[in-house]
Amino acid sequence: MKLRKIPHGVHPNLLYPSYKSTNERAPRLPAVALEPAAAELSGPHFERTLLYPNHDDMTRQTGGMPLGERIIVTGRVLDENGDPLPDTLIELWQCNASGRYHHEMDQHDAPLDPNFRGFGRVMTDANGRYRFTTVKPGAYPWRNHPNAWRPAHIHYSVFGKTMLERLITQMYFPGDPLLGYDPIFNSVPTDRARERMIAHFDLETTQPEFALGYHFDVVLRGPEATPENR
Amino acid sequence: MAELLITPSQTIGPFFKEGMELPQGDTLFPESVPGRRIRVAGIVTDGLGQPVSDALLEFWQPDAAGRFGGPRQGSSAGFGRVLTSKDGRYSIRTILPGTVPAADGNLQAPHILVVIFARGLLRQLVTRVYFDGEALNATDPALARCGARAATLVAKRDGADAYAWNISLQGTNETVFFEA
């Protein structure tokens, strides 16, 4: 198997000076080209035993209901050829509706919600589909630059079939006025690629009297098409 | 043929801890798997020489016979995931990987694939750790591509069954990262 080359204009450059942490963490020497071998072209499988109670519903992981706007997010994990990836692990984490993470290093002066931890884990079904319920995360300030605020986002960690497909990204919400000011979002070089990270409002997933629905597909690197398998 | 644009990478940020912890993530193989048991440990530093206390490291390797993906509770044997500590340190328990061929059929030296995520990394870094004293290091095709910097990928012996391997994200002795 051979994976397609990553197209230009999709992933951020490692050094993106307006996101300050890149200045001392991005490697300065060029990456060395590697001919992928067995380790790169394989990867771990995950079992449903990793799915803890209410793994797919962040609103039901404690005794009570968290504050905030309840949402349902659905979508598919696909490769760039459009083929769905079944039984793929997605790990999720986010801040609460007030913009505070359940994390010891988050010192933002916004309330923690005793009913919200903000961690989820789902696996795609046979058609590559996933679904989870949560509350919409809030915006929060960070110290990257004066008056810096992160747009609302949910962190996604996704495994494909091989370690080279591995992806960690963030899902953003449509119409968020903070997107234009966010160096992490704008580290992605093209409009088309940035739009890939924005969920769509989805009336079909929206449940009356219960929760708004959003749709978000994740697309991973895929194998080069060959005459035999196309 | 459908062709979709891949989803861009974004940083893991600083707040992933509980969301990304895996049970026994530092132990790559169950006790029953045969092989030479080793420990690999070290420190991750940034361009200022400061420890990186919020990195996530993932490891993927074959067993001693060169086979990938045997059974293990919840996931595959040979996979590991650890978070660096407050002082930037990590440690895994594994077995010395077996040899597997490169794309051209020649044997590669034993190595573990390592993927690094951290705040300030807008996409993951991909590297490999090799082991000091392995004869195949001299002819490994990936090490050969690294020239004088190949030494940054070779873990040093640190006792009978332990190896020390530090990761320098930037600057002095910057670790080789691969593009594949």
mmCIF file of all heavy atoms in Angstrom, chain A residues 31 37 54 69 100 113 145 153 159 169 190 203:
data_model
loop_
_atom_site.group_PDB
_atom_site.id
_atom_site.type_symbol
_atom_site.label_atom_id
_atom_site.label_comp_id
_atom_site.label_asym_id
_atom_site.label_seq_id
_atom_site.Cartn_x
_atom_site.Cartn_y
_atom_site.Cartn_z
ATOM 1 N N ALA A 31 12.337 18.470 7.786
ATOM 2 C CA ALA A 31 12.033 17.056 8.004
ATOM 3 C C ALA A 31 12.813 16.218 6.994
ATOM 4 O O ALA A 31 13.074 16.650 5.880
ATOM 5 C CB ALA A 31 10.541 16.819 7.861
ATOM 6 N N ALA A 37 7.656 2.302 5.956
ATOM 7 C CA ALA A 37 7.821 0.850 6.045
ATOM 8 C C ALA A 37 6.707 0.308 6.937
ATOM 9 O O ALA A 37 5.702 0.980 7.187
ATOM 10 C CB ALA A 37 9.213 0.512 6.569
ATOM 11 N N ASN A 54 -21.462 5.950 29.245
ATOM 12 C CA ASN A 54 -21.814 7.251 28.665
ATOM 13 C C ASN A 54 -20.625 7.916 27.965
ATOM 14 O O ASN A 54 -20.471 9.136 27.968
ATOM 15 C CB ASN A 54 -22.410 8.179 29.724
ATOM 16 C CG ASN A 54 -23.749 7.652 30.196
ATOM 17 O OD1 ASN A 54 -24.582 7.249 29.383
ATOM 18 N ND2 ASN A 54 -23.956 7.618 31.489
ATOM 19 N N GLU A 69 -25.881 24.820 26.254
ATOM 20 C CA GLU A 69 -26.747 24.495 25.124
ATOM 21 C C GLU A 69 -26.418 23.074 24.669
ATOM 22 O O GLU A 69 -25.311 22.797 24.214
ATOM 23 C CB GLU A 69 -26.444 25.507 24.016
ATOM 24 C CG GLU A 69 -27.196 25.333 22.738
ATOM 25 C CD GLU A 69 -26.677 26.325 21.686
ATOM 26 O OE1 GLU A 69 -26.143 27.401 22.039
ATOM 27 O OE2 GLU A 69 -26.791 25.996 20.496
ATOM 28 N N ARG A 100 -14.370 26.849 30.438
ATOM 29 C CA ARG A 100 -13.365 26.353 31.387
ATOM 30 C C ARG A 100 -13.196 24.854 31.221
ATOM 31 O O ARG A 100 -14.174 24.104 31.198
ATOM 32 C CB ARG A 100 -13.830 26.680 32.813
ATOM 33 C CG ARG A 100 -12.937 26.156 33.920
ATOM 34 C CD ARG A 100 -11.922 27.178 34.379
ATOM 35 N NE ARG A 100 -11.048 26.609 35.404
ATOM 36 C CZ ARG A 100 -11.149 26.883 36.706
ATOM 37 N NH1 ARG A 100 -12.072 27.739 37.124
ATOM 38 N NH2 ARG A 100 -10.329 26.329 37.572
ATOM 39 N N ASP A 113 -18.059 23.356 36.033
ATOM 40 C CA ASP A 113 -19.401 22.802 36.161
ATOM 41 C C ASP A 113 -19.254 21.421 36.778
ATOM 42 O O ASP A 113 -18.644 20.543 36.170
ATOM 43 C CB ASP A 113 -20.045 22.712 34.763
ATOM 44 C CG ASP A 113 -21.490 22.252 34.817
ATOM 45 O OD1 ASP A 113 -21.863 21.568 35.796
ATOM 46 O OD2 ASP A 113 -22.234 22.557 33.869
ATOM 47 N N HIS A 145 -1.791 36.707 22.768
ATOM 48 C CA HIS A 145 -1.636 38.098 22.367
ATOM 49 C C HIS A 145 -2.692 38.893 23.114
ATOM 50 O O HIS A 145 -3.603 38.302 23.709
ATOM 51 C CB HIS A 145 -1.747 38.248 20.835
ATOM 52 C CG HIS A 145 -3.031 37.737 20.267
ATOM 53 N ND1 HIS A 145 -3.233 36.399 19.952
ATOM 54 C CD2 HIS A 145 -4.210 38.349 19.974
ATOM 55 C CE1 HIS A 145 -4.460 36.235 19.480
ATOM 56 N NE2 HIS A 145 -5.073 37.400 19.487
ATOM 57 N N HIS A 153 -14.643 25.333 20.301
ATOM 58 C CA HIS A 153 -14.135 24.191 19.536
ATOM 59 C C HIS A 153 -14.182 22.920 20.364
ATOM 60 O O HIS A 153 -14.135 22.963 21.591
ATOM 61 C CB HIS A 153 -12.694 24.436 19.061
ATOM 62 C CG HIS A 153 -11.730 24.639 20.184
ATOM 63 N ND1 HIS A 153 -11.533 25.873 20.774
ATOM 64 C CD2 HIS A 153 -10.924 23.784 20.854
ATOM 65 C CE1 HIS A 153 -10.643 25.756 21.746
ATOM 66 N NE2 HIS A 153 -10.265 24.496 21.832
ATOM 67 N N PHE A 159 -7.811 7.935 14.860
ATOM 68 C CA PHE A 159 -6.893 6.936 14.305
ATOM 69 C C PHE A 159 -7.466 6.474 12.974
ATOM 70 O O PHE A 159 -8.653 6.251 12.854
ATOM 71 C CB PHE A 159 -6.780 5.726 15.231
ATOM 72 C CG PHE A 159 -5.939 5.972 16.437
ATOM 73 C CD1 PHE A 159 -6.484 6.553 17.560
ATOM 74 C CD2 PHE A 159 -4.598 5.635 16.441
ATOM 75 C CE1 PHE A 159 -5.709 6.789 18.691
ATOM 76 C CE2 PHE A 159 -3.815 5.870 17.562
ATOM 77 C CZ PHE A 159 -4.373 6.447 18.688
ATOM 78 N N THR A 169 -7.248 17.203 15.524
ATOM 79 C CA THR A 169 -7.730 18.455 14.961
ATOM 80 C C THR A 169 -8.734 19.080 15.927
ATOM 81 O O THR A 169 -8.894 18.624 17.064
ATOM 82 C CB THR A 169 -8.322 18.218 13.550
ATOM 83 O OG1 THR A 169 -8.586 19.480 12.941
ATOM 84 C CG2 THR A 169 -9.586 17.387 13.595
ATOM 85 N N THR A 190 -5.321 27.715 3.669
ATOM 86 C CA THR A 190 -6.288 28.089 2.639
ATOM 87 C C THR A 190 -7.714 28.093 3.193
ATOM 88 O O THR A 190 -8.045 27.359 4.129
ATOM 89 C CB THR A 190 -6.247 27.105 1.443
ATOM 90 O OG1 THR A 190 -6.649 25.808 1.900
ATOM 91 C CG2 THR A 190 -4.858 27.030 0.840
ATOM 92 N N LEU A 203 -30.291 20.361 10.653
ATOM 93 C CA LEU A 203 -31.656 20.325 11.190
ATOM 94 C C LEU A 203 -32.163 18.885 11.329
ATOM 95 O O LEU A 203 -32.967 18.589 12.203
ATOM 96 C CB LEU A 203 -32.595 21.135 10.283
ATOM 97 C CG LEU A 203 -33.989 21.427 10.851
ATOM 98 C CD1 LEU A 203 -33.922 22.238 12.146
ATOM 99 C CD2 LEU A 203 -34.852 22.143 9.823
#
